[in-house]
């Protein structure tokens, strides 16, 4: 969230995605709730996925990834 805030923000005209590692998306849902100020009004275009095995092995369960283009 800090990285997004310190950038020029998310360009919602371009693709963005959230991802998580592990069996539960509970931490991702907490991130979404905590980031509601940043994501407000764009929930319908939000794509969510799990992290693949290679990255998931390195970050472990409970990691959250945010991919976006800066404004």
């Amino acid at each position: 969230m800090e990285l997004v805030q310190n950038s020029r923000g998310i360009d919602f005209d371009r693709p963005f995605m959230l991802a998580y590692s592990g069996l539960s998306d509970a931490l991702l849902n907490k991130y979404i709730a905590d980031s509601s100020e940043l994501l407000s009004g764009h929930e319908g275009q939000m794509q969510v996925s799990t992290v693949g095995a290679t990255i998931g092995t390195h970050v472990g369960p409970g990691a959250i990834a945010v991919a976006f283009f800066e404004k």
Side-chain angles (χ1 to χ4, degrees), residues 1 30-40:
M1 195 162 78
K30 180 178 177 351
Y31 174 82
I32 291 170
D34 292 347
S35 303
S36 62
E37 179 182 312
L38 297 172
L39 304 172
S40 179

Side-chain angles (χ1 to χ4, degrees), residues 10-53:
I10 298 173
D11 182 353
F12 289 107
D13 292 329
R14 300 185 74 186
F16 71 100
M17 181 172 230
L18 302 173
Y20 64 95
S21 64
L23 299 175
S24 171
D25 64 352
L27 287 176
L28 178 66
N29 290 329
K30 180 178 177 351
Y31 174 82
I32 291 170
D34 292 347
S35 303
S36 62
E37 179 182 312
L38 297 172
L39 304 172
S40 179
H42 303 283
E43 296 83 2
Q45 67 189 95
M46 192 178 326
Q47 296 182 35
V48 176
S49 179
T50 56
V51 172

Side-chain angles (χ1 to χ4, degrees), residues 1-9 66 68 70:
M1 195 162 78
E2 185 177 325
L3 175 65
V4 174
Q5 289 173 330
N6 289 336
S7 72
R8 294 178 300 200
V66 180
F68 66 97
E70 207 175 23

